[in-house]
Amino acid sequence: MGSGVYENENRRGAVPRARPLWVEEPARRRRMPDPVRTAAVRAVLIVAVTLTQATVAFLLAVAGSWLSFPMALGAIAGTVVATWGVLDVWITRQTWNQRYGVVSVPSSTARELRRDRRRARRAARSGHIPVASGGMR
């Protein structure tokens, strides 16, 4: 047998087998939520502009240009904005996780507390005295 590239290697006019341009592989990590990704892209762009601005300010200072002082002030302001951008990513991620990222597993504390409260309510309805439940009302 041959290399396996052709469908029928025994015939003379063998036609090459069509191969896909790329093969999709499953993602290693889950995709970031849209608000977090938007904040991350914004932060990366701000940081890139700030680093470029700081580099230009440094080169202007080395060259002795009068533009170095305004550019240095702009780079300082850009650093403040870039810090805000990175903090925005962190805060947006935390907020999204608090709102939508609750992972409910059978051993979770919240589920156990709900189970205890249900048991206490059932026992109260049936006339039994509940044994110390772990939940709060």
Side-chain angles (χ1 to χ4, degrees):
M1 285 285 158
S3 62
V5 175
Y6 294 94
E7 284 182 20
N8 191 349
E9 294 175 350
N10 296 337
R11 291 193 297 168
R12 282 190 183 237
V15 180
R17 188 175 6 150
R19 291 190 308 183
L21 214 52
W22 64 83
V23 178
E24 290 195 27
E25 298 176 0
R28 292 184 182 154
R29 292 171 39 171
R30 288 177 44 219
R31 181 175 160 166
M32 281 192 291
D34 286 341
V36 178
R37 191 171 55 246
T38 302
V41 168
R42 187 184 319 121
V44 165
L45 291 174
I46 291 171
V47 168
V49 168
T50 302
L51 286 174
T52 304
Q53 197 172 11
T55 304
V56 169
F58 173 75
L59 292 174
L60 287 173
V62 169
S65 173
W66 65 272
L67 283 174
S68 64
F69 181 69
M71 284 297 289
L73 290 179
I76 292 169
T79 303
V80 172
V81 173
T83 304
W84 168 83
V86 172
L87 283 175
D88 182 42
V89 173
W90 183 60
I91 291 169
T92 305
R93 183 173 172 266
Q94 294 297 325
T95 304
W96 196 92
N97 281 337
Q98 284 180 0
R99 288 185 185 164
Y100 309 108
V102 176
V103 177
S104 182
V105 292
S107 62
S108 98
T109 306
R111 189 173 282 191
E112 186 177 339
L113 292 175
R114 282 196 314 264
R115 189 179 303 129
D116 290 343
R117 285 195 301 258
R118 275 196 306 267
R119 283 184 191 142
R121 280 195 302 264
R122 281 189 204 121
R125 272 184 285 189
S126 66
H128 292 93
I129 300 173
V131 182
S133 69
M136 292 175 44
R137 267 203 173 209

